[in-house]
Amino acid sequence: MKLDDKDLKILSLLQEDATASNKKIAAVTGLSLTPVYERIKKLKALSLLKKKVFLLNRKKLGLNLMVLVSVRIEKHSEAGALIFMKEIKKIPEVVECLHVTGAFDFQLKVYTRDIDHYHEFNLKKLASIKNIQHMESYFVMKEVINTTSLPLFLVQQKMS
């Protein structure tokens, strides 16, 4: 897969604003409309552009509490991990689940309305997963960086 500076600029623009028009992208990249259209089509075909989404303001929606939960499972086998992964996907408060190395097996990002909602979530949903051995919850006091943008400058360095 070969990407040039124009492709990377298009990716950068689209990850900042998925609704950016081809006209706006053309103006910023110095390309005309047809090449912009063709390049976006190519980026989609390469599965570099997965989907368009709107990022919601969670606090305005009443999801005021973000909690990071570290989970250690009992059975450290493929089957044990698969059971946990299958069950955790059923819980809508969990917006991110990462299988990690270290003292814990999984790292979760959870959004709830408040501490009472988290307590209910923890007791009724998370603790009901049978393969969990230990959990630790970390309440996020402030989001210092929260972005969905990938560091495309690293892709440029790799291509050089």
Side-chain angles (χ1 to χ4, degrees):
M1 168 181 17
K2 193 108 169 153
L3 300 176
D4 64 16
D5 288 342
K6 300 283 186 187
D7 292 323
L8 292 171
K9 185 65 177 172
I10 291 169
L11 288 172
S12 180
L13 290 166
L14 288 175
Q15 78 174 345
E16 291 300 320
D17 179 7
T19 64
S21 68
N22 287 356
K23 185 176 179 181
K24 178 181 178 182
I25 294 169
V28 173
T29 60
L31 296 168
S32 62
L33 287 174
T34 301
V36 166
Y37 172 81
E38 292 299 325
R39 283 174 181 258
I40 291 174
K41 187 174 158 184
K42 174 187 86 171
L43 295 170
K44 286 179 181 176
L46 293 170
S47 298
L48 290 171
L49 298 173
K50 291 168 55 172
K51 63 182 177 178
K52 287 185 184 183
V53 297
F54 281 97
L55 300 177
L56 306 179
N57 184 329
R58 70 176 175 87
K59 289 189 176 182
K60 289 199 178 214
L61 292 167
L63 298 172
N64 297 307
L65 187 63
M66 180 195 305
V67 185
L68 302 177
V69 184
S70 297
V71 177
R72 185 178 311 123
I73 59 175
E74 288 177 0
K75 297 175 184 150
H76 289 91
S77 62
E78 182 178 4
L82 290 173
I83 288 168
F84 178 83
M85 289 187 273
K86 179 182 175 203
E87 292 302 312
I88 204 70
K89 288 177 183 178
K90 297 176 184 176
I91 304 175
E93 289 92 342
V94 177
V95 298
E96 221 173 89
C97 174
L98 306 168
H99 195 184
V100 297
T101 61
F104 290 91
D105 301 302
F106 292 92
Q107 182 73 39
L108 311 177
K109 183 191 286 185
V110 176
Y111 290 127
T112 63
R113 289 185 299 278
D114 52 35
I115 193 73
D116 293 330
H117 181 198
Y118 180 74
H119 182 253
E120 182 180 317
F121 155 83
N122 195 326
L123 288 178
K124 293 183 178 175
K125 294 183 180 180
L126 196 54
S128 71
I129 298 175
K130 300 209 180 345
N131 196 30
I132 294 178
Q133 179 184 56
H134 181 73
M135 297 182 292
E136 287 187 19
S137 300
Y138 304 90
F139 297 94
V140 176
M141 297 185 302
K142 182 170 183 64
E143 293 177 74
V144 178
I145 297 173
N146 183 348
T147 182
T148 60
S149 296
L150 297 177
L152 293 177
F153 74 93
L154 295 174
V155 176
Q156 287 175 313
Q157 288 174 350
K158 183 181 174 190
M159 292 174 35
S160 300

